[in-house]
């Protein structure tokens, strides 16, 4: 039996710290509770927002209908053939605690994703990635509740259609699947990926060219903390824009005009431009306007300077996009989800 909380304050439940109230809120620990909550919301024709760690959301002050917080817990080993191990984690588990837990278990593959805010269940939705690794590299499958079929399904990694900051859950079938458990392919052999520039430099400086798994996690945490604000002290939603992908011809023209342009070649021949560099060059780093601003160590991150409001945040995002478009001819896409 679930209990809805009316007019629930979710200001502390979104990492940007926007002032938000949900008309009806419930936290679910069991799948049966999730189904009950969904049935009741459907009967009342409430729109539904599924809430994980709230770290990739930009929320309007009043959320109509239902917000369902996912608290599915537990971490289990499902299969172990000596080298490859399948681990299952509940969608409500904290992502960073999960990464730390794997370190203790001696299971490898997700070290580079340490300290990413949010929950295990949210991780596949936007295919979280950092320092040369993304969830797609280790995802085995997702156990989800399918709201169309009204049944629990297992979606194998390929079916989840993960790509840069995107998935089936985000763009192809938004709202259809509610991720309840996530399974990962991990290894007892440590084969670290150390090629990402900032990580590589940091490890070299530490004299750790061949780091232990603990040293790698510590290095990722240090590099991350040096560039990205801790939401506990300065509200933010991580990268506020995706790194835009452009055709090679556009890249070549830009590179000629701006020789310092930072870009990475993609497998399909396109180039991914560093949005942080574009925004920085357009003069926004450290900009402040009322309760919102651009982080002074990483222009891709917008921050809550205190009392940030939805409208001023969206206005700042719009101004930044317009100025980048004017200067470089490149359109920026917001990375966090705006709701409703
Ligand atoms: N840069 C600047 N000025 C800035 C910010 C960046 O010149 O203000 C330059 C940097 O010097 C660097 C390049 O842009 O050469 C890339 O910067 P960084 O290494 O910080 O990575 P990013 O491309 O800005 C992406 C992800 C992050 C992830 C890091 C590390 C996206 C949208 N962001 O950022 O993910 O942690 O790489 O892998 O892909 C997130 O998605 O919320 C997130 C934090």
């Amino acid at each position: 039996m679930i209990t809805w909380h009316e007019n629930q304050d979710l200001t502390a439940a979104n990492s940007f710290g926007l002032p938000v109230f949900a008309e009806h809120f419930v936290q679910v620990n069991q799948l049966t509770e999730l189904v009950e909550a969904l049935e009741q919301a459907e009967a009342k024709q409430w729109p539904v927002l599924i809430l994980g760690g709230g770290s990739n959301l930009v929320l309007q002050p009043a959320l109509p209908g239902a917000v369902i917080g996912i608290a599915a817990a537990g971490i289990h080993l499902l299969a172990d053939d000596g080298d490859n191990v399948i681990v299952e984690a509940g969608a409500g588990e904290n992502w960073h605690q999960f990464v730390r837990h794997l370190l203790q278990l001696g299971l490898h593959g997700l070290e580079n994703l340490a300290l990413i805010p949010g929950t295990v269940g949210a991780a596949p939705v936007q295919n979280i990635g950092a320092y040369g690794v993304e969830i797609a590299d280790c995802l085995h499958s997702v156990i989800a509740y399918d709201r169309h079929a009204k049944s629990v399904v297992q979606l194998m990694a390929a079916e989840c259609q993960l790509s840069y900051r995107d998935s089936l859950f985000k763009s192809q079938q938004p709202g259809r699947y509610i991720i309840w458990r996530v399974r990962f392919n991990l290894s007892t052999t440590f084969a670290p990926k150390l090629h990402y520039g900032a990580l590589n430099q940091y490890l070299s400086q530490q004299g750790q060219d061949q780091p232990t798994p603990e040293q790698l996690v510590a290095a990722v945490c240090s590099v991350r903390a040096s560039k990205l604000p801790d939401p506990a002290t300065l509200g933010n939603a991580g990268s506020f824009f995706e790194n835009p992908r452009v055709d090679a011809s556009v890249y070549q023209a830009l590179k000629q005009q701006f020789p310092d342009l930072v870009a990475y070649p993609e497998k399909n021949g396109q180039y991914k431009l560093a949005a942080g560099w574009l925004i920085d060059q357009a003069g926004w780093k450290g900009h402040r306007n009322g309760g919102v601003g651009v982080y002074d160590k990483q222009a891709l991150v917008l921050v809550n300077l205190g009392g940030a409001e939805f409208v001023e945040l969206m206005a700042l995002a719009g101004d930044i996009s317009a100025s980048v478009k004017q200067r470089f001819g490149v359109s920026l896409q917001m990375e966090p989800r705006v709701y409703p």
Side-chain angles (χ1 to χ4, degrees), residues 42-95:
E42 198 175 350
K44 297 193 164 139
Q45 295 187 317
W46 291 339
V48 171
L49 172 69
I50 299 296
L51 186 65
S55 56
N56 202 44
L57 283 173
V58 171
L59 298 173
Q60 299 216 31
L63 304 184
V67 176
I68 303 177
I70 302 292
I75 298 172
H76 311 280
L77 300 196
L78 289 188
D80 183 349
D81 74 359
D83 191 22
N84 297 308
V85 179
I86 300 175
V87 176
E88 180 184 87
E93 293 286 345
N94 172 274
W95 176 262

Side-chain angles (χ1 to χ4, degrees), residues 274-286:
W277 186 89
L278 300 173
I279 298 167
D280 191 356
Q281 293 296 308
W284 289 98
K285 198 185 246 177

Side-chain angles (χ1 to χ4, degrees), residues 130-131 164-165 196 239 241 243 264 277 280 285 298-299 335:
Y131 309 109
Y164 171 64
R165 293 295 186 274
Y196 195 93
S239 300
F241 300 97
N243 284 335
Y264 313 94
W277 186 89
D280 191 356
K285 198 185 246 177
Q298 159 60 293
E335 204 218 63

